[in-house]
């Protein structure tokens, strides 16, 4: 059974940093694109960042460019997202997701999802 488990969320002051982790299990994810999405209260889920199976290609939402970094050491089953200079508007539940093949940004294209981890940024 495929499982994605996120961790690393929490409460941080504006300007602070957090690092989210996502561990995938149940199959070999070496050919899977991994992505991060988030959903704030009362808002639709939105794309944050994604990384190709090799780690060679990354994409970011404009709202997080220059502040967030997605990485995938050794192109294996763990993906990280380093979040710096956090803002109150980054407050959301962050979800890890996976899809076979090339990098994409639409949430409906992702097959596997984690349960989410809460990130709260206080002003």
């Amino acid at each position: 059974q495929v499982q994605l488990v996120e961790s690393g969320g929490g409460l941080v002051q504006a300007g602070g940093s957090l690092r989210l982790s996502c561990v995938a299990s149940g199959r070999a994810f070496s050919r899977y694109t991994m992505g991060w999405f988030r959903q704030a209260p009362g808002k639709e889920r939105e794309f944050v960042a994604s990384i190709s199976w090799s780690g060679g290609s990354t994409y970011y939402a404009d709202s997080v460019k220059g502040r967030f970094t997605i990485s995938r050491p050794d192109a294996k089953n763990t993906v990280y997202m380093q979040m710096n200079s956090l803002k109150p508007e980054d407050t959301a539940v962050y979800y890890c997701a996976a899809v076979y093949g090339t990098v994409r940004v639409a949430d409906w294209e992702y097959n596997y999802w984690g349960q989410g981890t809460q990130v709260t940024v206080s002003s």
Side-chain angles (χ1 to χ4, degrees):
Q1 183 175 353
V2 174
Q3 190 173 26
L4 303 179
V5 179
E6 305 97 334
S7 62
L11 172 64
V12 64
Q13 289 188 331
S17 299
L18 286 173
R19 188 176 83 153
L20 303 184
S21 301
C22 173
V23 178
S25 62
R27 66 167 64 230
F29 278 82
S30 58
R31 294 287 177 174
Y32 279 70
T33 284
M34 304 291 287
W36 286 97
F37 293 80
R38 67 187 181 186
Q39 187 167 20
K43 295 188 177 180
E44 293 188 352
R45 186 166 57 193
E46 64 175 359
F47 169 77
V48 178
S50 60
I51 188 166
S52 63
W53 64 269
S54 67
S57 296
T58 56
Y59 290 87
Y60 296 92
D62 288 343
S63 59
V64 306
K65 279 181 184 176
R67 300 188 298 122
F68 291 11
T69 303
I70 190 170
S71 63
R72 189 173 186 176
D74 302 322
K76 292 191 176 176
N77 288 12
T78 301
V79 64
Y80 302 98
M81 187 161 70
Q82 178 67 41
M83 305 187 298
N84 298 328
S85 302
L86 283 161
K87 304 174 181 180
E89 51 264 42
D90 294 318
T91 295
V93 177
Y94 283 71
Y95 297 92
C96 176
V99 59
Y100 184 83
T102 58
V103 176
R104 58 205 72 191
V105 301
D107 61 352
W108 59 267
E109 295 190 272
Y110 284 74
N111 306 107
Y112 303 106
W113 291 85
Q115 292 300 306
T117 185
Q118 177 71 47
V119 171
T120 303
V121 184
S122 63
S123 58

